[in-house]
Amino acid sequence: MFDSVEKVAQSLAEQDYICDSKIATVVFLAHRLEKPVLVEGPAGVGKTELAKVVAAATGRNMIRLQCYEGLDEAKALYEWEYSKQLLYTQILKEQFSEVMAGAKSVAEAAARVGQEDSVFFSDNFIVPRPLMQAIRSEKPALLLVDEVDKSDPEFEAFLLEVLSDFQVTVPELGTIEALSKPLVFLTSNNAREMSDALKRRCLHLYIDYPSEELETRILSTKVPDAGAQLIQDIVQMMHKLRELDLKKVPSISETLDWARALLALNANELDAEMVQQTFSVILKYEGDVRKAEGELSKILQKKAAEAAVAAPSAADAPAPAAVKKGALH
Amino acid sequence: MQKKILEFTNILRKSGIRVSTAEAIDAFEALDELSVDQREIFRDALRTTMVKRGEEVPTFDQLFDLFWSGFHDSLREAFGEAAAGLETFGMDLEELLRRIAEALQNLQGDLSELGDLAQALLSADLNMLEKLIREAAEGAGTDRIENFLQVGFFSRRTLDQMNSEGAGAELRELASQLEAAGLSPEDLAALRSLIEGLMEAARKSVRAFTERELQQQNHDYMEKFRRETLLEKSFYHLTEDEIRRMREVVERLAQKIKNILSIRRRRLNKGKLDLHQTLRRNMSHGGIPFELIFKQRKKDRPKLVILCDVSSSVANVSRFMLQFVYSLQEAFTKIRAFVFVAEIGEVTPLFQEADINEAIEKALDGGDVINVYTRSNFGYAFHHFWQNYLSAIDNKTTVLILGDARNNYNDPRAWCIRDIHNKAKNVIWLNPESPSAWGFGDSVMDKYMPYTDLAEECRNLKQLSSVIDRLVL
Ligand SMILES: Nc1ncnc2c1ncn2[C@@H]1O[C@H](COP(=O)(O)OP(=O)(O)OP(=O)(O)O)[C@@H](O)[C@H]1O
Ligand SMILES: [Mg+2]
């Protein structure tokens, strides 16, 4: 199914994910070489989505580990189920008394209880968290470590160990090895630079804002009801906006939201009024809106001028003299 | 191929992209999985295995083009020209080669009697030519080229190394033999002209290869140079672009410090057992302490009051210091920021609302609290601070002053700094001017110095970041 780079691009397209050969090459190699991929790039360019569609395309079960400040091993790997253990000790009180009967000292009693330890520290009482789930999964899985840059450097070091041999050691149970290596995607917004050690182990993929051509294809796939003219207008506008020095640069997710919003307003193409009504969908800050407004009127003016030249008779504005003269020659 | 990739790896390394051996091996493995004749895919495979930082991608792309494509293209162009020269004889290369082969049959010989280079030239075998030129250049030591004046020298050596004269002689000899064997005069004329064209193409290609090598060497040098100079470039006279790039450097430096702090905080955290919290947390477990809670030990984080001269001569020091300090907010208990030229005003609230860069630009513009279009008057500013904000300072406060102390011959009122110094934990003064200028002309730095715990020159990022290191680490 992932026989070649082209096939990868195809299978992802079947999942409505449109990508260039750069992304497809990395996914292809990750699959072949069984290496984790570190995906970096600005917000909303489809980092998380990529992992999801690769899981869908390969029929793997996606297991997601969402990172945040303070995430620790217990929450990522496994925890003992204290309350269940406690419940069992209560229920088994009598059996314990038997075990302890005749013990001459507290120390001896404790030692005897200690021998029964393994009952409580067994599979029954373990709560597997995402990393453990991915390792123990019967079917090959896809592990998504989302927003790994939000985790602390210590957690990163721990993650590194897990990723290098796909096995974990639970002191009470021994070492658990992966039945089949999961595909691993780590995403990062670059809130913090990841360590060189982690980067060395991973293939690296930097997803940037898409080219006009790619964004057009994404739009026509994801918002199929939008007309060609509307899509072209939107994409052009987005690319102009991304050149401005904005606080929050609008991404693919904003492009999609915007297209849907405009479609709901029955727009066939962009005009000033439509844009005014929907600007808040793509720009989240007052300052950004102000900066963008200037650019917007420029674009719309240019568009109107072009339309006037293209169809001089249809527009109610009279065609410029120069054009008429040109027509006589 | 492997050899060529290793060579490329070295070039990346020289330009500051750290490629480990493991990563080079990954690259080999990746290429095993792919058909490398697709250029884009080949490039992507190398990039994903060897380049792990977004900002290194442009460097990689440039070097990739220099190393992998530039040369093959110029080969194709040079030899394309040579073959096109046949047009004047109403002939194309294939047709001519066919006729030569026919004539050769009469001689009972074939082209394989020629040397490698002569053969490759005549059949325009570009891959073979590239290989021969590479090997010859290696033998000639072209990778030691340093400047443009040496291009001719190393080209000559490379040509000698591959014995291009010899190949030319072989081909001319072949022409004479074919003449004897009855090749038509027209074909012969075409062949002779082709041979000279090919020799010219070989010379051109070798020269192109040598120039490319020079570019590569220079590229390494320029990259290193650019990076070092940014750290050491004086804050006076920065272009927009330099400001933008420095901002990124500051961001990275701040991030590094943050990582160090975060690891240290973890270590410090393991303090004494907190009995109270532990019991509370384990209530649901019948009071049995499954989870232990530890008291957090606190490291003294400094309180910071920062006084920034925002007159144009010092604006950039203030800019990057503010960025630094506010990127590291969590390293301080509290930060209050003031800006001054002659009037002084507080800009702390700006940083609570807007994002850092926006707040900084506003602050440098006076932040609606002071007029920046006046002449510097340190004494006046400090006096106002003394009157209105002295209560901001206590014995846990570090006061950071940025300014050139060029006071336009006004009264320095150094006693204000003395009083600040008496109340504060310490006073640090950063001056973008060199110490040899302090106290001369209208500089009153010498008047303030006695009341500072540390007074330092701060003219570039390197000096700025070393101050910050000492402040928070
Ligand atoms: N190449 C693509 N083809 C189709 N849809 C895409 C593509 N890229 C992004 N999208 C869409 O854009 C939206 C945002 O993508 P996603 O949430 O994966 O972004 P992200 O990079 O993970 O962002 P963040 O950094 O904020 O987590 C999703 O709705 C996704 O479907
Ligand atoms: Mg995401």
Side-chain angles (χ1 to χ4, degrees):
Chain A
M1 159 205 351
F2 276 8
D3 297 337
S4 67
V5 173
E6 292 79 17
K7 286 266 177 59
V8 171
Q10 258 172 35
S11 345
L12 298 188
E14 279 160 25
Q15 305 294 330
D16 279 355
Y17 191 89
I18 311 300
C19 65
D20 51 15
S21 91
K22 186 179 92 174
I23 296 179
T25 304
V26 177
V27 170
F28 172 81
L29 287 174
H31 191 251
R32 280 298 170 94
L33 305 176
E34 302 191 315
K35 276 189 152 291
V37 188
L38 173 61
V39 190
E40 295 188 301
V45 290
K47 302 184 292 293
T48 308
E49 184 77 5
L50 176 62
K52 287 188 197 161
V53 294
V54 171
T58 51
R60 285 170 184 248
N61 188 11
M62 188 177 93
I63 299 168
R64 181 174 187 157
L65 173 63
Q66 184 68 44
C67 298
Y68 50 89
E69 225 182 304
L71 172 66
D72 59 16
E73 297 181 27
K75 299 212 188 62
L77 197 52
Y78 68 90
E79 277 178 302
W80 291 108
E81 212 170 349
Y82 300 126
S83 28
K84 195 168 161 195
Q85 286 170 332
L86 201 65
L87 189 67
Y88 274 58
T89 43
Q90 300 290 348
I91 296 171
L92 298 175
K93 235 180 197 158
E94 276 178 28
Q95 276 77 2
F96 270 111
S97 316
E98 277 169 31
V99 169
M100 290 189 287
K104 292 193 187 69
S105 64
V106 176
E108 195 189 335
R112 287 196 199 168
V113 175
Q115 281 168 2
E116 311 294 323
D117 249 9
S118 55
V119 176
F120 290 99
F121 292 97
S122 66
D123 254 8
N124 270 334
F125 296 98
I126 219 165
V127 193
R129 300 290 181 202
L131 287 180
M132 177 83 96
Q133 285 167 14
I135 286 173
R136 292 213 307 199
S137 169
E138 309 249 325
K139 243 175 51 172
L142 184 144
L143 172 66
L144 166 62
V145 183
D146 212 7
E147 317 205 333
V148 63
D149 51 331
K150 306 256 164 64
S151 69
D152 307 302
E154 301 83 323
F155 182 77
E156 190 190 327
F158 159 73
L159 197 59
L160 194 62
E161 273 173 46
V162 178
L163 292 185
S164 47
D165 31 313
F166 289 104
Q167 60 174 42
V168 289
T169 304
V170 182
E172 296 86 350
L173 295 182
T175 299
I176 303 173
E177 243 175 277
L179 298 171
S180 61
K181 267 195 184 180
L183 258 179
V184 183
F185 281 77
L186 304 102
T187 77
S188 155
N189 263 332
N190 247 328
R192 142 178 109 70
E193 201 173 317
M194 308 315 293
S195 74
D196 284 344
L198 183 81
K199 287 186 168 172
R200 266 203 300 281
R201 277 208 183 54
C202 296
L203 297 177
H204 190 264
L205 173 62
Y206 185 81
I207 306 188
D208 210 337
Y209 300 113
S211 65
E212 290 199 16
E213 188 250 323
L214 199 62
E215 197 157 22
T216 306
R217 279 169 55 205
I218 295 174
L219 266 184
S220 12
T221 311
K222 286 256 171 159
V223 194
D225 292 339
Q229 183 61 49
L230 181 63
I231 290 183
Q232 189 194 336
D233 286 354
I234 292 177
V235 170
Q236 270 179 11
M237 184 73 192
M238 293 307 273
H239 279 255
K240 281 275 164 14
L241 288 178
R242 286 186 194 131
E243 282 166 20
L244 303 179
D245 184 21
L246 299 179
K247 188 164 161 190
K248 166 89 179 63
V249 180
S251 194
I252 301 182
S253 37
E254 279 81 16
T255 310
L256 293 173
D257 291 346
W258 199 28
R260 293 188 183 117
L262 288 166
L263 205 58
L265 295 173
N266 286 324
N268 293 319
E269 58 178 326
L270 277 189
D271 62 44
E273 198 192 338
M274 290 278 181
V275 175
Q276 288 296 350
Q277 278 178 38
T278 51
F279 238 6
S280 62
V281 177
I282 37 174
L283 298 173
K284 312 290 183 205
Y285 293 95
E286 254 318 292
D288 285 356
V289 174
R290 249 179 285 121
K291 272 186 206 157
E293 266 164 356
E295 193 62 28
L296 168 73
S297 52
K298 248 188 280 165
I299 295 175
L300 290 175
Q301 263 167 26
K302 186 157 152 256
K303 217 185 122 196
E306 279 166 10
V309 173
S313 55
D316 28 359
V323 173
K324 277 192 191 149
K325 217 161 130 198
L328 290 176
H329 278 286
Chain B
M1 190 61 169
Q2 292 213 348
K3 185 158 167 249
K4 220 175 143 190
I5 289 175
L6 282 180
E7 207 182 305
F8 183 55
T9 311
N10 275 331
I11 286 172
L12 292 178
R13 284 187 185 137
K14 274 201 254 169
S15 299
I17 300 180
R18 275 168 293 166
V19 184
S20 68
T21 312
E23 285 165 318
I25 294 173
D26 286 347
F28 296 155
E29 286 183 352
L31 294 179
D32 277 347
E33 300 287 341
L34 293 163
S35 64
V36 292
D37 42 319
Q38 275 173 290
R39 240 197 129 60
E40 272 308 302
I41 294 182
F42 174 59
R43 175 202 294 247
D44 291 336
L46 289 186
R47 183 164 50 200
T48 187
T49 45
M50 309 210 277
V51 182
K52 309 289 171 83
R53 252 171 268 267
E55 68 263 24
E56 286 169 354
V57 170
T59 307
F60 170 89
D61 284 347
Q62 273 172 24
L63 288 171
F64 183 92
D65 284 343
L66 271 176
F67 190 85
W68 299 96
S69 53
F71 184 54
H72 208 81
D73 290 349
S74 58
L75 264 184
R76 188 170 315 127
E77 194 182 320
F79 284 90
E81 266 170 37
L86 286 175
E87 267 171 33
T88 46
F89 300 88
M91 177 90 68
D92 65 29
L93 186 61
E94 246 171 77
E95 178 59 21
L96 183 61
L97 285 176
R98 206 180 50 76
R99 292 189 195 175
I100 291 172
E102 257 172 34
L104 269 175
Q105 266 180 353
N106 297 339
L107 283 176
Q108 299 200 323
D110 63 42
L111 286 177
S112 65
E113 281 164 33
L114 295 169
D116 280 349
L117 179 58
Q119 248 183 71
L121 283 170
L122 196 54
S123 53
D125 178 349
L126 297 187
N127 287 331
M128 186 61 184
L129 281 167
E130 179 170 352
K131 179 165 166 275
L132 291 173
I133 293 178
R134 256 177 216 290
E135 284 170 2
E138 199 177 319
T142 307
D143 57 341
R144 292 195 303 273
I145 191 167
E146 279 171 0
N147 62 54
F148 193 73
L149 299 175
Q150 296 169 321
V151 170
F153 172 75
F154 280 108
S155 300
R156 179 88 260 139
R157 264 177 72 158
T158 305
L159 286 168
D160 288 350
Q161 191 78 24
M162 60 203 262
N163 192 12
S164 70
E165 288 303 319
E170 269 180 83
L171 290 174
R172 285 178 205 113
E173 169 62 24
L174 176 75
S176 312
Q177 284 180 8
L178 287 171
E179 183 176 23
L183 191 69
S184 77
E186 298 83 46
D187 290 354
L188 199 66
L191 176 60
R192 290 223 156 98
S193 134
L194 174 69
I195 291 172
E196 295 322 309
L198 290 173
M199 295 315 293
E200 177 61 23
R203 279 190 292 273
K204 263 196 201 154
S205 303
V206 167
R207 194 177 169 89
F209 185 88
T210 312
E211 282 174 358
R212 197 194 60 126
E213 192 73 30
L214 175 66
Q215 272 180 359
Q216 264 170 28
Q217 301 296 336
N218 276 349
H219 190 278
D220 306 344
Y221 175 72
M222 288 300 291
E223 268 300 300
K224 233 183 263 162
F225 184 72
R226 263 210 298 266
R227 228 170 305 140
E228 271 164 23
T229 47
L230 206 55
L231 274 180
E232 282 169 21
K233 187 163 173 57
S234 158
F235 286 138
Y236 287 105
H237 313 304
L238 293 180
T239 64
E240 286 282 320
D241 183 52
E242 281 165 337
I243 289 183
R244 195 178 48 72
R245 283 180 20 227
M246 277 200 188
R247 209 189 278 158
E248 284 163 21
V249 176
V250 170
E251 219 170 275
R252 221 166 311 138
L253 291 172
Q255 191 56 51
K256 232 196 227 148
I257 296 181
K258 259 197 238 178
N259 286 349
I260 297 175
L261 286 176
S262 118
I263 289 176
R264 188 177 296 172
R265 213 163 30 236
R266 289 278 143 156
R267 289 213 198 101
L268 281 172
N269 271 352
K270 288 269 145 89
K272 276 196 198 136
L273 184 68
D274 186 336
L275 205 55
H276 195 71
Q277 283 291 331
T278 302
L279 284 177
R280 167 119 34 106
R281 175 72 60 88
N282 288 286
M283 218 93 106
S284 60
H285 305 142
I288 299 169
F290 281 107
E291 277 181 272
L292 303 181
I293 313 284
F294 294 91
K295 280 187 183 141
Q296 304 223 338
R297 237 187 278 156
K298 282 213 188 80
K299 183 189 181 272
D300 282 344
R301 289 179 300 177
K303 257 191 198 172
L304 198 64
V305 166
I306 168 165
L307 308 184
C308 295
D309 179 352
V310 291
S311 66
S312 53
S313 55
V314 197
N316 279 324
V317 190
S318 295
R319 175 199 305 276
F320 295 117
M321 178 54 102
L322 284 171
Q323 191 196 343
F324 236 132
V325 164
Y326 276 97
S327 306
L328 290 172
Q329 280 192 59
E330 57 266 44
F332 304 99
T333 319
K334 191 173 182 191
I335 307 174
R336 289 182 72 173
F338 298 83
V339 291
F340 67 91
V341 176
E343 295 168 335
I344 193 163
E346 179 160 14
V347 290
T348 315
L350 284 181
F351 288 88
Q352 285 148 2
E353 287 154 22
D355 91 320
I356 296 187
N357 288 324
E358 225 169 280
I360 290 175
E361 293 315 318
K362 274 194 195 148
L364 293 184
D365 203 29
D368 294 335
V369 288
I370 65 160
N371 174 12
V372 292
Y373 301 103
T374 53
R375 293 166 66 89
S376 293
N377 187 338
F378 284 73
Y380 182 84
F382 293 153
H383 196 173
H384 262 254
F385 184 86
W386 183 90
Q387 284 172 336
N388 301 313
Y389 301 109
L390 201 58
S391 60
I393 295 170
D394 61 25
N395 61 5
K396 294 203 180 63
T397 311
T398 295
V399 180
L400 196 57
I401 305 173
L402 306 177
D404 58 6
R406 295 238 161 242
N407 203 28
N408 291 311
Y409 302 101
N410 294 305
D411 177 5
R413 304 187 217 184
W415 55 268
C416 298
I417 299 297
R418 183 195 65 211
D419 285 1
I420 290 173
H421 183 241
N422 287 341
K423 283 193 76 183
K425 183 172 158 211
N426 43 41
V427 175
I428 300 175
W429 189 305
L430 300 178
N431 190 327
E433 288 192 347
S434 132
S436 59
W438 296 358
F440 289 94
D442 63 342
S443 165
V444 288
M445 192 62 188
D446 55 325
K447 304 286 185 306
Y448 296 130
M449 285 249 293
Y451 310 116
T452 62
D453 299 274
L454 181 72
E456 272 198 36
E457 175 185 358
C458 185
R459 193 173 30 85
N460 57 35
L461 274 187
K462 210 172 176 177
Q463 291 169 335
L464 180 62
S465 94
S466 101
V467 171
I468 292 281
D469 277 358
R470 269 178 290 167
L471 201 61
V472 297
L473 292 181

